[in-house]
Amino acid sequence: DTAVSQTPKYLVTQMGNDKSIKCEQNLGHDTMYWYKQDSKKFLKIMFSYNNKELIINETVPNRFSPKSPDKAHLNLHINSLELGDSAVYFCASSQGYSPLHFGNGTRLTVT
Amino acid sequence: AQSVSQHNHHVILSEAASLELGCNYSYGGTVNLFWYVQYPGQHLQLLLKYFSGDPLVKGIKGFEAEFIKSKFSFNLRKPSVQWSDTAEYFCAVMGSTNAGKSTFGDGTTLTVKP
């Protein structure tokens, strides 16, 4: 059973489009995250939700909007996609101080 | 604020060589420390973690790390690497007042030559 699953795995789209990435975890964790990994492999936190409440919102363009309908789901919607948004986006979950459990990533390519 | 510095960006070793990857953190309090590994094309997986107690922690696949509080370090070691250890390695810190917020280092690319 996949603990943290995200879809789609690959996403190719044109500049200006709007797209969404979905994430679900079945670990019962209270906290979920979105991380962005750029072409140099740098990993940066974007958002974190705890029990559907936004607790971390790093410096991210407001074109990115997370939504958490319940504590097992955290989706990421991106408006007006730009070339610089191309990256791998990882969803993750954790409980308190526990290590992060990552999803398999969504490779977003904006052309 | 918390931060992590990984000294080696790219390490190239031959099989059976010993490995040590450096990690230093900055945080004015108690920390939880992690090493994650990312195999090519895959997601990050936990290698090992330090919360408290014995500063020498053992993880999966023969990896270990030593927490040296006086040096703010948490270096990763393996006595004999294998080709399958080729991957990206990330050190991460979570301060005691930052539950749920891990800060990652920039990663070290390890290439093991057969």
Side-chain angles (χ1 to χ4, degrees):
Chain A
D1 285 344
T2 303
V4 181
S5 60
Q6 53 182 110
T7 56
K9 187 170 182 178
Y10 300 97
L11 190 50
V12 181
T13 188
Q14 292 184 326
M15 284 174 55
N17 285 349
D18 303 338
K19 291 294 179 185
S20 292
I21 308 172
K22 295 186 176 182
C23 180
E24 175 181 3
Q25 55 98 2
N26 62 7
L27 296 166
H29 289 163
D30 286 337
T31 309
M32 295 185 71
Y33 311 78
W34 280 110
Y35 279 84
K36 178 180 180 181
Q37 186 174 45
D38 64 21
S39 58
K40 294 184 179 179
K41 302 284 188 178
F42 296 155
L43 196 64
K44 300 295 182 193
I45 190 169
M46 300 173 69
F47 303 103
S48 172
Y49 270 75
N50 182 275
N51 275 320
K52 301 191 298 177
E53 183 180 345
L54 181 66
I55 56 170
I56 295 174
N57 184 355
E58 295 295 306
T59 306
V60 175
N62 57 15
R63 298 181 293 104
F64 290 78
S65 53
K67 281 189 172 53
S68 182
D70 55 62
K71 76 172 193 176
H73 295 84
L74 179 62
N75 304 323
L76 182 65
H77 188 75
I78 316 170
N79 290 325
S80 303
L81 278 155
E82 300 177 357
L83 291 176
D85 298 331
S86 295
V88 181
Y89 293 84
F90 285 100
C91 178
S93 72
S94 72
Q95 183 77 19
Y97 292 98
S98 74
L100 294 163
H101 291 256
F102 285 89
N104 286 332
T106 296
R107 182 173 294 276
L108 172 65
T109 303
V110 183
T111 62
Chain B
Q2 60 190 26
S3 65
V4 177
S5 174
Q6 291 183 239
H7 317 300
N8 319 99
H9 291 297
H10 196 176
V11 173
I12 302 173
L13 296 172
S14 297
E15 276 194 313
S18 64
L19 169 72
E20 181 160 3
L21 301 182
C23 172
N24 284 89
Y25 69 91
S26 175
Y27 182 74
T30 306
V31 292
N32 301 305
L33 295 158
F34 310 88
W35 275 98
Y36 292 85
V37 61
Q38 184 178 26
Y39 297 106
Q42 296 189 26
H43 62 288
L44 280 80
Q45 306 168 45
L46 182 71
L47 263 184
L48 48 78
K49 62 184 186 287
Y50 171 80
F51 281 1
S52 63
D54 189 344
L56 184 62
V57 292
K58 295 191 183 300
I60 61 172
K61 304 186 180 186
F63 286 90
E64 65 178 30
E66 184 175 13
F67 170 53
I68 303 179
K69 189 175 180 180
S70 60
K71 295 184 178 180
F72 298 89
S73 69
F74 190 56
N75 293 354
L76 181 71
R77 299 194 293 249
K78 185 171 184 178
S80 176
V81 295
Q82 300 172 319
W83 175 79
S84 58
D85 293 325
T86 294
E88 194 79 17
Y89 292 81
F90 294 91
C91 182
V93 63
M94 187 191 303
S96 57
T97 59
N98 293 332
K101 185 176 181 181
S102 291
T103 299
F104 284 80
D106 288 341
T108 296
T109 302
L110 172 65
T111 301
V112 180
K113 295 183 175 180

